[in-house]
Amino acid sequence: MSLYALIEPMFDETNWYHNIFYGLLSECRKRRILLIRVHSLSEIPNSLIEENSPFFLFVIGAHLSWLKKALRECSLKNITPILVGNQIVPNYTDNMNCVSSNIQDSMRVLISYLSSLGKTKTALYGVDEESLADSWKAESFIQLASPMSLSIQDRIFMNSGSLKDCFENFYSMMEHFDSIICTNDFAAISFLQSLKEYSPKKLEDIMLVSYSNTLISKLYTPSITSISMDFSSMGKMAMTLYEILSKNPDVSSIHLMVKDELLIRETTLNAPYNSESTISSPIFSD
């Protein structure tokens, strides 16, 4: 037996992709299933799709435009996609099967943690408008951020292909903020490196948290407080989702979410998280 995984080509060498793919691959090997990686649906024989109805396909990608294109092609070929490692694609009309992290909950934890440290003037930094995950982070931030005199739009700093420009936009407004949530560790390191160059003393004025918990977040100085996203578990859970769907044809769609973990480090002074200081419901900013 064989299963296919459609991969967005530009992410072939990324750690998060490898963790997802090898988590999925390990579960396939346990079941003696051959997992075949492709970059285009044209690599899958049409006869194979027609002979195996429903035909399930694991889809691993990050850019919204690529994901939408892949899902449209799946719909045209009567393929049932299982999106792995990312969020539900907005405005997708067919039933959506998905394994992801719980971005809204992790954003709630980050905002609550900063609030417990007395930091409520928070910005969201490094949002890539082409990233589906970043769009969900921005939406969650809009719903959960504590109110400020600034509009919520003025608290979100976009990465439109240049983290340098993103930093300069933030730096011009830095006096308004006491904390920053970075969309990933690379944006966090870029921010810290730029701040060291512009005004190192201001490192003491702002607390920073991030997403991804990559190796570099532990090795960088200062080490970065980050949300650990268990991509390997997402790959493993994708196989669980596939088995549920293949054995239960009456199930139309499933969304499984993997629990994330906050790892506290030097960018928040190693301050412990008082989990009793939580946000129980969305707080809408002006």
Side-chain angles (χ1 to χ4, degrees), residues 126-186:
V127 176
D128 180 351
E129 61 187 11
E130 263 296 300
S131 165
L132 178 58
D134 281 9
S135 68
W136 277 92
K137 289 168 190 171
E139 183 64 28
S140 298
F141 180 78
I142 289 168
Q143 293 180 5
L144 295 167
S146 300
M148 280 180 63
S149 57
L150 290 176
S151 71
I152 195 68
Q153 288 78 16
D154 288 336
R155 298 167 63 186
I156 298 175
F157 294 86
M158 304 299 294
N159 172 19
S160 300
S162 171
L163 282 170
K164 180 181 179 182
D165 290 346
C166 185
F167 175 80
E168 289 177 352
N169 291 335
F170 176 84
Y171 190 76
S172 67
M173 299 180 64
M174 186 172 175
E175 63 191 50
H176 297 287
F177 300 103
D178 58 19
S179 51
I180 183 171
I181 298 172
C182 295
T183 54
N184 57 64
D185 291 340
F186 297 104

Side-chain angles (χ1 to χ4, degrees), residues 7-23:
I7 314 299
E8 185 173 0
M10 72 176 297
F11 293 105
D12 263 352
E13 302 304 320
T14 59
N15 287 330
W16 69 265
Y17 156 69
H18 283 289
N19 288 335
I20 289 174
F21 185 80
Y22 286 106

Side-chain angles (χ1 to χ4, degrees), residues 189-207:
I189 289 169
S190 173
F191 172 84
L192 292 168
Q193 198 65 31
S194 295
L195 192 56
K196 286 178 181 179
E197 295 171 5
Y198 274 64
S199 183
K201 289 187 177 180
K202 289 189 176 182
L203 285 168
E204 301 172 4
D205 298 335
I206 196 157
M207 287 197 175

Side-chain angles (χ1 to χ4, degrees), residues 112-132:
S112 176
Y113 172 53
L114 291 170
S115 179
S116 74
L117 302 179
K119 306 297 182 181
T120 58
K121 299 175 181 179
T122 306
L124 181 64
Y125 182 88
V127 176
D128 180 351
E129 61 187 11
E130 263 296 300
S131 165
L132 178 58

